[in-house]
Amino acid sequence: MQRPMGRLLRVDLTSGRIATEDIRPDWQRDYLGGRGLAARYLCAELDPRVDPLSPANRLIFATGPLTGTPVPCGARYMVVTKGALTHAITTSNSGGHWGPELRFAGYDMVIVEGRAPKPVYLYICNDHVELRDAKAYWGQAVGATEDGLRRELGIPGLRVACIGPGGEKLVRFACIMNDKHRAAGRSGVGAVMGSKNLKAIAVRGTGGVEVAEPAAFMKAVWAMRAAMQDHPGRMAFTELGTAATIDMTQAFGGLPTRNFLAGQFEHYENLSGTTIRETRMVANKACFACTIACGRVTRLDPHAPRHLVNMHPRNWKRAGEGPEYENAWALGADCGVGDLDAVIRANWLCNDLGLDPISMGASLAAAMELYERGVIGDDQVEMPLRFGSAEALLRMVEATAYREGFGDEIAEGSKRMGEKFRHPEVFMGVKGQEFPAYDPRAFQGMGVAFATCNRGACHLRAWTPGVETSGAMDPHTPAGKSEWVVIEQNRTTAHDNTGTCMFIGGSGAPLESLAPCTAAVRGIPCSVDDLVRIGERTGNLERLFNLKAGLTRADDTLPQRLLQDAHQSGPSAGVVVNLDAMLPVYYRERGWSEAGVPTREKLAELGLASV
Amino acid sequence: MTRMLDIVPDRCTGCMQCELACSWVQTGSFAPSRSLIRVSVFDEEASYAPITCLQCDEAWCMNACPVNAIAVDPATGAKRVVDPLCIGCHLCTIACPFGTVFTLPQSGKAAKCDLCGGQPACATACPTQAIVYGESPQAGRWFASWGAKVDRNFVAAGDA
Ligand code: SF4
Ligand code: SF4
């Protein structure tokens, strides 16, 4: 038996028209689902040159064929749109329970277009789909919005994806939050949602996900479960969460500190996975169907300074989630803040106000550098933006979300902010998007991974520190890095298309184990080579979108700080990123021209000739 | 000996694998809303716990049923809905003090945990052993004290 064709929901906010469509079977075959399928729809429907915040932009929420099934960590959905931060295609992934609920309601994808005349939210309960007035929620934080919608609609099992004040105020790195603490975080997808006057999508689904070949499917699922059960990677994620990574990056001098001015942070131990677990964590929390449960539910130290606990009555909270490694770094080491309670609190604020903590922390770090160098003076800021100031961290997160005072500058992201103050060199990122927590001077591979990622600097498209520190490669030389990054990008892209979480790869269930699941769920044979090919096709399609949007080879680059200024001390001292050696190899491995354009032959080979 | 599912709330991560497994066995599709075990999430308290039928010795659902459609499974002691007999009157759903009997939307008949005939799918699926299949006197630690209190109130009310 073959699973009935997927359905998508199309919502035109301008006219209020709502319709369902069958998903095109040929595209489903070529792209599987999630990131790839949504990218295909975006490329077909959107002129890549539009302003991302204009009504013409599309905002697509897409699940994969394994979302909502018991495949470990089959919780994921993708938000695909033209990013407000990057002006390139973006693909922001989130877990929790919202994606599965959408499938239980009977939809694999939602395409939002246009702009509502006034704030609305979309309510989906199986076949009942309705746009409702969101006046009561406009201006509300994420937690209050979700609680309020549950109360208004009277459905305890309701799942909500929404924006906070950050998205409403069009902060360029605003995110879309679901289940209060899960984020489709990067590239400003929340700003796109805000520009459409769409506050939330509230979903309840009482149907189920059908599987074409149940026996084969359950066998494949249990093979994955067995492989993950005693795998050291899985156990480390459960025990210490992602923040365990900080020990590794610190040891290799690859923990960017104070806006990448140093590669090691003196207070890193305060932010480590072990410290979080031993002093602040109350429980593990899992996303839907997740057998890892890397999520940390945390409480502040009861003796934490009062300003940390209750800065502003509208944002007061007792318990929350995080920090993840990236957030501990961005809000901690990158801003020079070693106070764990301040970092946790800033993380909760980002969650509740709907900001991407990576870009938030990194943009603040850039502002702090400007302040320390005297470029911005005390008359321009309400408080000294010194590296290491917990007060500044907490206040600026809020100020950014509401665009108050200097927060209005930070809200534009550090690229635009740096240019405005005539110091573009403080921007640490690619294609307008700030780097995540790996210094490419310590891990060369991350240099080419960041430079070439379709959605700007991102660690989730090819993660090289693992292989670079395993002894198989020298982390400081370019040899072999580009080849590895190409393979890894193709594999992770395929992984994204299935609707499962990236972390199963490091937990004993690599892409190979997803092939039989994917085959059984659809009743169509699927090998790992097929998946890799789907990944490659998706990556090339995204590249085509970016080229048409006006990006060129010149955008596949890194800041001068990484290419010219080496660290003075530490394990990565004296190393700069040799991107000139890696980029041509990368293009060649991809089958692209020297200008970074996919060749005619490559496109024909991937079935993209007509795009 | 009656057997039952013992819940250890501290171990639960809220992953819903139990709901998926239950709905799969009971309905043949992955539909958590049809599961007979339900996970409650208390976000601000950082606590999650599944709850399902406790297989009471003196099962109120069974006593309430006017047509004796709830029977004891001799193998496990589970209280089982005999589907052809059920008339869909909902009395058992009201009688259960724990709210663990549900109505199936398609048929309008009652559905409750039957311990999967002795191999409960939820306990197998739980990655953290938060659901333990065991003998009932040892099991039910979580609800034992609460149950004892309810029993006392019930007896006291009957005496008065
Ligand atoms: S359904 Fe309720 S009353 Fe019946 S045996 Fe289970 S817990 Fe007891
Ligand atoms: S499977 Fe186990 S850990 Fe997951 S929700 Fe159910 S009881 Fe909790």
Side-chain angles (χ1 to χ4, degrees), chain B residues 64-81:
Chain B
C65 179
V67 293
N68 289 334
I70 296 184
V72 179
D73 183 336
T76 58
K79 316 299 176 292
R80 203 161 51 80
V81 179

Side-chain angles (χ1 to χ4, degrees), chain A residues 180-245:
Chain A
K180 290 185 187 173
H181 303 285
R182 301 284 116 213
R186 303 219 68 194
S187 323
V189 292
V192 174
M193 190 155 159
S195 77
K196 299 196 167 312
N197 266 336
L198 180 63
K199 177 68 180 177
I201 304 185
V203 189
R204 174 63 177 160
T206 58
V209 172
E210 310 286 334
V211 170
E213 292 162 3
F217 181 72
M218 289 315 285
K219 192 166 151 238
V221 169
W222 278 106
M224 285 177 78
R225 292 280 305 263
M228 289 170 68
Q229 183 63 36
D230 298 317
H231 190 274
R234 201 281 300 159
M235 289 195 272
F237 270 131
T238 307
E239 176 83 8
L240 297 173
T242 54
T245 317

Side-chain angles (χ1 to χ4, degrees), chain B residues 12-18 39 50 126-128 130-131:
Chain B
C12 176
T13 62
C15 73
M16 312 285 166
Q17 281 281 355
C18 51
V39 181
C126 176
T128 61
I131 307 169

Side-chain angles (χ1 to χ4, degrees), chain A residues 70 97 104 204 206-209 211 214 222 225 284-286 288-290 293 297 318-319, chain B residues 13-17 20 24 29-34 43-46 48 124-127:
Chain A
H97 298 260
F104 300 144
R204 174 63 177 160
T206 58
V209 172
V211 170
W222 278 106
R225 292 280 305 263
N284 285 76
K285 186 170 180 184
F288 185 88
C290 170
V297 181
R318 270 189 309 167
Chain B
T13 62
C15 73
M16 312 285 166
Q17 281 281 355
L20 281 167
W24 175 243
S29 84
F30 298 110
S33 67
R34 314 257 170 94
D43 246 337
E44 289 276 292
E45 308 306 323
Y48 336 92
T124 315
C126 176

